[in-house]
Amino acid sequence: MDETIRQWIVFIVHWIVFLGLSLAFLAGAVFNGCVAWRQWVKNISDGPSLAPLLFGAIGVAVVGVAPFGELSDRWPYLWIPLVLDFGSAPYFSLVVYEVFKEKHRQ
């Protein structure tokens, strides 16, 4: 196989993986926002789950596999998906707050 063709295939696969993970992250972030809305605003709880953390990890992977720039250039931005996805840092912060509030209420 010609080296140019091989490079194009790698380039296209890289973009497909990046876009697929990006769509999964966006869908998961919307899903986590809906779950949070149901849980904290409407007081409808489906029980605890570790699934919200999955989409934050996918977001970190999106930043890591982005097909532009060097990985070392993206290191400072790996935390951004964890803040944008409500199921990660914001959700964890609310859970810690609720546990702390419950402990001190008694």
Side-chain angles (χ1 to χ4, degrees):
M1 184 182 302
D2 187 358
E3 185 65 25
T4 307
I5 294 173
R6 186 186 146 307
Q7 288 175 342
W8 271 104
I9 290 172
V10 168
F11 177 77
I12 291 170
V13 168
H14 201 165
W15 271 97
I16 289 171
V17 169
F18 171 72
L19 292 174
L21 286 174
S22 296
L23 288 174
F25 171 70
L26 290 173
V30 169
F31 171 76
N32 284 337
C34 292
V35 168
W37 179 264
R38 284 173 43 97
Q39 193 168 11
W40 272 289
V41 175
K42 292 189 169 189
N43 292 325
I44 302 171
S45 180
D46 298 329
S49 173
L50 292 178
L53 295 174
L54 172 68
F55 298 111
I58 290 173
V60 171
V62 167
V63 174
V65 302
F68 38 82
E70 297 294 321
L71 180 59
S72 60
D73 297 334
R74 294 187 301 269
W75 274 109
Y77 306 105
L78 289 176
W79 61 272
I80 292 175
L82 297 174
V83 174
L84 291 178
D85 174 34
F86 193 84
S88 298
Y91 183 80
F92 182 73
S93 300
L94 276 174
V95 169
V96 168
Y97 170 74
E98 289 292 328
V99 168
F100 182 76
K101 186 172 80 172
E102 192 64 32
K103 290 276 186 189
H104 289 286
R105 183 179 298 168
Q106 298 174 355

